[in-house]
Every structure is written in C-alpha cells, then in structure tokens.
Amino acid sequence: MWELELIPVYVLLSMWGGKKRLYSATKFILYTAGSSIFLLIGALGIALYGSNQPTFNFETSANQSYPAALEILFYIVFLIAFAVKLPIIPFHTWLPDTHGEAHYSTCMLLAGILLKMGAYGLIRINMELLPRAHSIFSPYLIIVGAIQIIYAASTSPGQRNLKKRIAYSSVSHMGFLIIGISSISDMGLNGAVLQIVSHGFIGAALFFLAGTGYDRIRLAYLDEMGGLAAPMPKIFTMFSILSLASLALPGMSGFFAELIIFFGIITGPKYLLISKILITFVMAVGMILTPIYLLSMLRQMFYGYKLFTAPNSYFFDAGPRELFVSISLLLPVIGIGIYPDFIFSLSVDKIETLLSNYFYSF
C-alpha cells in the first residue's frame, strides 16, 4: 500500500504539473521509491529474524527483542525510509520542487496526506518495534528537528514561488513533529499526533487557496503579485485566517499542537535540563521566524497598490465551490483549536500503552 500511493502522485505530477513537471516528477519518484527499498529491506529483515518461520505479523514482531547492533541497523534503515517521506533534512529536497511544479490539487494531497505517512511510520514502526534504538537515536533526532525548524523557516522568505514558500513552511512544521516524536513523553507524542492532523488541514487549505489565486491571476511568483485584497476579498480573508492558523495563533489547532510539544519536551523524563532549555529556545526562535515569512507572503500578495491591466470581469472572487472547500478545511482547524480533546480521546490510550510497554520498562 505504501508503494501504491506513489504511482498516482507521479501521474498527477507528470501530466498536470507546471513547466518543469517531468523533472520534479522524476525527482519525486526517485527519492520516494528509493526510500521504499530501505523500507522493504527493513521489513524483510524484521520478518526473517528470530523465528524459523518468517512472519509479518505486527504483534509478534512488537514483542520480539533484537541484539542491540541489529536493532540500531534496522532503525537506521526504517529511519531513512520515513525521513524521505516526512521530509527530514537532508532528504527534503524533493518536496519544494514537487510542490512548486504540481497542480494545487496534487499539492493538497501531498501536504495533507503523503507527508503524514512518514510520521505515522516513525511512531508505528520505529517507536513500537525498535524501542531501545529509538531511545538511543532520539536525542540526535531532536537536534535534527530543531535545525530543520530554523533552516526551513529561514529558507522560506527567499523563495519567489508562492507554493515553494508554503512547502518550506510545511517542512518547518514537520520539525516540530520530529521533536514531539523524539521527546518520548506522553505529552510530546500526543502533540505530535495532533500536529499531524492539524498540519494536514492547514497545509492543504493553504495550497488550495494558493491554487485558487493562481487560477484567477495566472501568476506564480510573489514579486509579480500585489494588491489582490481589493479584487478578491473572500480569498484574502480565508488566506489570512489560515496563515495565522499556520503560524500558531491561539484558538487554532496549530497553536495547541506546538504548545503541547513544548510541554512534552520540558516535562519529559528523558533529557537533561540544559538541553531542554536549549531545544526550547531554538523552537521559540523558529516560532518567531514563522510569522516573518507567512506575513511577508501575505503582504506581497494582497497589500499594496498594483493595478492589474486585465479587464475587470477577469477577476472574480471565490465562488461557492471554493468557499465550501476552504471553510470545510477551516472548521476542523478551529474546532481542534477550541476542543483538542476530540483528537486526544482517539490517540491518548494507544500512546499510553506504547510508552508504558516500551519506554518505562528498561
């Protein structure tokens, strides 16, 4: 199933992409299919180890214990496979290219669902099946996540292409997710799950609105835009609300997820206090950089006085279809922000069993 989802995305990219669509589609398939080879190797290794009869059953492999070196090897293999999917630096370079060229509906699929598969795999396979290796690797993963937040948030303002800028913002948000997964605390992991859900909605909605704007004016580059707030007020309103949700405005789901990841890092039993303070400081810097690129994106697109020479009938604001899609993506964001227990009630028991079985026993 993991492999099967690559084919439709490749087709969507290579047929309905932008000018460099074949390049980005080939890059996408090379990265993701290349990472899936590692996934296959790891799955076969885990299935064939230990029992005289190869088994792919989750429960039996979860109770299996491996020699330390072998477990670390398996962990590295799976980590590479999932690091390409949930782009962890340095495996992230396919993402901005793919997002920059893809049609916006493909971007919604990519941002909303595909990136979340990597996070799911990390929680489900690396944490459940290989707990000792995860507790060895998680400090390094936290450092990588912190670097990723800062790196992506400082690369994003330099992007001229609107979709690439949103793509880098989603790379930056995935950094919070890595930190939450590696914090090995109840709160951090719940925050990571919440970040998966909330970023799925916010990222997809931002790409959708970028695409509707592109349909109206046919401009992909930010420095050619400007002054769009007057001709299309509804798109402007939705875009502003969702950008604020993306930069973690309280009352939206993004704020809550990142807050809980913060708490999870600080209250977690695993790390020394000074390292926790450092990581929290770096995350806070990342949260300061996030409004910079998102708000400058809004300013370049919507504010200012740029008179378009096109005839006026060419402009029409979001119709009922666009409004329906964007509002139905916005409602869960606000709903989770106001009542996050809706997601927690689904995830909290599973995460408690996962942590109690594995991490507090040794």
Side-chain angles (χ1 to χ4, degrees):
M1 283 325 216
W2 179 276
E3 288 297 309
L4 203 57
E5 117 291 337
L6 300 178
I7 313 297
V9 175
Y10 177 75
V11 174
L12 286 169
L13 254 176
S14 54
M15 286 190 178
W16 291 283
K19 286 193 183 70
K20 295 193 335 195
R21 55 177 182 257
L22 287 177
Y23 163 75
S24 58
T26 312
K27 189 168 184 176
F28 167 78
I29 203 83
L30 281 177
Y31 265 83
T32 42
S35 75
S36 310
I37 295 171
F38 287 100
L39 185 70
L40 180 67
I41 293 171
L44 286 175
I46 281 188
L48 297 173
Y49 175 79
S51 56
N52 42 15
Q53 194 158 4
T55 169
F56 285 100
N57 191 336
F58 236 78
E59 278 71 36
T60 47
S61 17
N63 301 326
Q64 183 90 357
S65 62
Y66 306 98
L70 190 68
E71 184 163 345
I72 289 174
L73 191 68
F74 280 155
Y75 190 88
I76 292 175
V77 166
F78 279 119
L79 183 66
I80 293 174
F82 299 135
V84 175
K85 244 324 175 230
L86 166 136
I88 298 178
I89 287 179
F91 301 109
H92 67 286
T93 47
W94 61 271
L95 186 85
D97 276 337
T98 306
H99 275 315
E101 292 307 316
H103 187 253
Y104 63 87
S105 50
T106 320
C107 282
M108 289 168 70
L109 283 180
L110 272 167
I113 302 170
L114 258 101
L115 304 187
K116 311 300 174 279
M117 292 168 46
Y120 173 78
L122 273 180
I123 296 176
R124 187 72 205 194
I125 292 186
N126 285 14
M127 284 193 75
E128 266 199 47
L129 306 188
L130 310 165
R132 282 179 308 175
H134 185 74
S135 49
I136 295 169
F137 273 96
S138 52
Y140 305 110
L141 274 181
I142 283 197
I143 294 169
V144 169
I147 293 171
Q148 172 161 337
I149 292 174
I150 299 289
Y151 163 80
S154 49
T155 323
S156 185
Q159 301 297 321
R160 283 178 63 227
N161 189 325
L162 169 64
K163 283 196 265 188
K164 279 196 182 182
R165 187 171 288 204
I166 303 176
Y168 270 110
S169 87
S170 70
V171 174
S172 172
H173 285 301
M174 291 295 118
F176 287 101
L177 213 155
I178 301 165
I179 289 183
I181 290 177
S182 315
S183 68
I184 316 191
S185 65
D186 225 7
M187 270 188 137
L189 208 55
N190 275 312
V193 172
L194 190 65
Q195 174 80 317
I196 291 177
V197 176
S198 99
H199 179 266
F201 286 121
I202 295 172
L206 278 174
F207 277 117
F208 174 73
L209 289 164
T212 50
Y214 177 75
D215 273 353
R216 303 289 186 274
I217 53 172
R218 294 284 160 194
L219 295 173
Y221 291 106
L222 281 166
D223 41 16
E224 299 167 352
M225 300 182 194
L228 292 181
M232 14 204 232
K234 291 175 194 159
I235 291 183
F236 166 57
T237 311
M238 297 302 298
F239 213 116
S240 304
I241 293 173
L242 281 153
S243 296
L244 291 175
S246 180
L247 61 84
L249 185 77
M252 307 278 196
S253 59
F255 165 73
F256 206 80
E258 291 174 19
L259 181 77
I260 291 207
I261 291 176
F262 268 109
F263 279 156
I265 278 279
I266 293 170
T267 57
K270 189 164 158 50
Y271 303 105
L272 295 173
L273 184 63
I274 197 125
S275 58
K276 285 179 190 174
I277 292 172
L278 272 174
I279 292 293
T280 315
F281 177 71
V282 171
M283 287 170 77
V285 172
M287 292 186 91
I288 295 165
L289 287 171
T290 310
I292 293 178
Y293 63 80
L294 281 167
L295 294 178
S296 73
M297 175 175 86
L298 282 180
R299 178 183 55 84
Q300 280 175 295
M301 278 183 74
F302 293 109
Y303 296 94
Y305 299 98
K306 187 160 186 189
L307 292 171
F308 284 94
T309 48
N312 229 355
S313 61
Y314 191 61
F315 274 116
F316 52 107
D317 203 5
R321 188 180 49 138
E322 280 99 346
L323 274 179
F324 171 73
V325 173
S326 48
I327 286 175
S328 58
L329 283 169
L330 176 67
L331 284 179
V333 171
I334 297 176
I336 295 171
I338 292 171
Y339 187 67
D341 205 33
F342 177 63
I343 300 291
F344 284 155
S345 58
L346 303 173
S347 71
V348 71
D349 304 334
K350 177 75 186 137
I351 281 169
E352 261 183 16
T353 54
L354 200 154
L355 286 174
S356 63
N357 288 358
Y358 296 114
F359 291 111
Y360 301 130
S361 53
F362 48 79

